[in-house]
Amino acid sequence: MKNCRFTLHTVAISCLLVIAAQAPATAADTATKKIALSNNFAGNSWRQTMLKSWDKITKDAVAKHIVAQAPSFTTAENQATEQAAQIQNMILQGYDAIVVNAASPTALNGAVKKACDAGIVVVSFDGIVTEPCAYRIAVDFKKLGEMQIDYFASRGLKGNLLEVRGLAGVFVDDEIHQGIAAGVKKHPEFKIVGSAPGNWTQTVAQKEVSAILSTLPAVTAVATQGGDGYGVAQAFKAAGRPTPVIFLGNRHDELTWWKEQRDASKYQTMSASIAPGASTFAFWVAQQILAGTKVPKDMKLPLSVVTQQTLDESLKNTEPGGVVNVEYSQKEVMDFLAKLK
């Protein structure tokens, strides 16, 4: 500010105001802001790890006065109507931003639009929404589905596949299913002979796969969505059937089982998922938008992948009952956003 002279009190104040206006947005800009998490489901290890990551990062952000509040709220069941009501309550409670892991890509759009109309920033992640006013953060879930079939094909496998689905109606389930279907179309040596709901939960997957196994021919491989691989393995074991190649989803119990099979019989597979710490990325994106940063409406995070070569290291760094995870700092998100400009 070479034209500013600080010899006069009034001019000094004027120059300081100009400097402040030109300064970049900082954490202090959002010190009074409130950000809430609306989560539709907490009944598996991925969601529990996701909530722990949110709690860890946001408590630190509140302690450092980056934001005033950042609580999380989870609906009792995966019901879009209940989550929509939850978002309505958040609007009434005066939150400045709402981060959403949605029960449906479309059923929450009305509530999300009302939040946007009230001046509230809405950032969806993992289970994203299609309402144009919202921001969306995900991985390439179609790629996650297709890469499973590509992996099976790279192993020289062929034959019958079993598909295990996630929570019905959620964006993630639809996208992974489409990817699996595209993979099978690309690799006609595979045929899907059965499908079972796993709800991203080991117990549900074991029960549902056990219920249909007696109706299925020999299964070469199982395409999954995460949180279900260990349950699938237990269903095949209980039925006395050979263990197929099961694509896993980065859960600690899956990786532990994989290591045991590898050490006992050189079992080979692959594992991939979105990191539960995507919630922390979404939090910092919301905070940056409130601070005035321009952010694209759609962002994609990298998949978290575990291979035969990285299994031991990944398992060592994953807590029992947890998931292979990546948590994001404010600086990492700011750097990520800067590269998008």
Side-chain angles (χ1 to χ4, degrees):
M1 303 297 295
K2 66 179 182 179
N3 293 325
C4 289
R5 297 181 181 178
F6 296 94
T7 54
L8 297 175
H9 179 67
T10 54
V11 176
I13 292 175
S14 176
C15 289
L16 288 172
L17 289 174
V18 172
I19 292 170
Q22 292 181 349
T26 66
D29 296 329
T30 60
T32 62
K33 302 298 186 181
K34 301 188 298 180
I35 302 174
L37 170 62
S38 171
N39 176 48
N40 67 306
F41 177 74
N44 62 28
S45 57
W46 192 97
R47 293 301 178 106
Q48 290 297 320
T49 303
M50 179 272 287
L51 291 169
K52 287 180 181 177
S53 290
W54 173 275
D55 188 59
K56 173 185 173 183
I57 295 298
T58 59
K59 278 186 175 178
D60 184 63
V62 171
K64 292 178 178 176
H65 305 291
I66 297 173
V67 296
Q69 297 179 30
S72 64
F73 302 91
T74 299
T75 58
E77 297 290 341
N78 179 44
Q79 296 293 329
T81 51
E82 185 180 354
Q83 192 173 19
Q86 182 188 78
I87 293 171
Q88 296 276 16
N89 287 335
M90 291 175 176
I91 297 171
L92 296 175
Q93 291 166 18
Y95 286 99
D96 299 286
I98 301 173
V99 174
V100 182
N101 196 336
S104 164
T106 56
L108 298 181
N109 282 349
V112 168
K113 183 65 164 58
K114 288 182 180 179
C116 293
D117 290 345
I120 299 170
V121 172
V122 179
V123 179
S124 62
F125 75 100
D126 187 43
I128 61 175
V129 296
T130 58
E131 166 53 46
C133 73
Y135 296 83
R136 287 162 288 278
I137 299 166
V139 301
D140 190 338
F141 287 111
K142 284 185 179 178
K143 178 181 177 182
L144 177 55
E146 191 168 352
M147 73 185 290
Q148 299 187 49
I149 312 304
D150 288 343
Y151 170 73
F152 298 149
S154 74
R155 292 273 308 276
L157 303 174
K158 60 182 179 180
N160 298 323
L161 298 181
L162 170 63
E163 179 184 8
V164 180
R165 301 286 298 264
L167 283 173
V170 179
F171 166 82
V172 177
D173 173 66
D174 291 338
E175 292 289 296
I176 295 177
H177 169 69
Q178 289 180 31
I180 290 170
V184 171
K185 185 176 181 180
K186 184 169 63 172
H187 298 287
E189 65 268 30
F190 295 106
K191 177 184 178 183
I192 296 177
V193 294
S195 177
N199 291 9
W200 306 321
T201 307
Q202 308 292 8
T203 53
V204 174
Q206 181 173 351
K207 177 184 176 182
E208 296 296 334
V209 171
S210 294
I212 67 168
L213 265 183
S214 63
T215 68
L216 300 180
V219 174
T220 299
V222 182
T224 68
Q225 295 199 5
D228 42 22
Y230 180 73
V232 171
Q234 296 309 300
F236 274 84
K237 180 180 178 180
R241 298 186 59 157
T243 304
V245 177
I246 306 169
F247 199 97
L248 305 175
N250 290 5
R251 277 61 170 178
H252 184 273
D253 52 5
E254 293 179 319
L255 301 184
T256 300
W257 174 83
W258 178 7
K259 183 179 184 302
E260 291 171 350
Q261 305 310 304
R262 182 203 65 188
D263 293 347
S265 61
K266 298 183 179 180
Y267 185 85
Q268 296 183 49
T269 189
M270 186 176 177
S271 181
S273 177
I274 180 174
S279 64
T280 65
F281 186 93
F283 166 75
W284 289 120
V285 165
Q287 184 269 330
Q288 284 296 294
I289 295 170
L290 293 174
T293 303
K294 290 186 178 181
V295 173
K297 288 291 186 179
D298 294 279
M299 290 157 277
K300 278 198 166 63
L301 296 175
L303 282 165
S304 178
V305 177
V306 181
T307 66
Q308 204 79 5
Q309 291 71 36
T310 63
L311 171 58
D312 290 326
E313 187 68 20
S314 298
L315 184 56
K316 184 174 68 175
N317 294 324
T318 305
E319 296 180 358
V323 185
V324 176
N325 197 17
V326 177
E327 291 172 343
Y328 293 87
S329 68
Q330 183 187 40
K331 184 180 184 306
E332 286 172 326
V333 173
M334 291 174 69
D335 290 345
F336 179 94
L337 295 175
K339 291 177 182 178
L340 298 179
K341 293 180 180 179

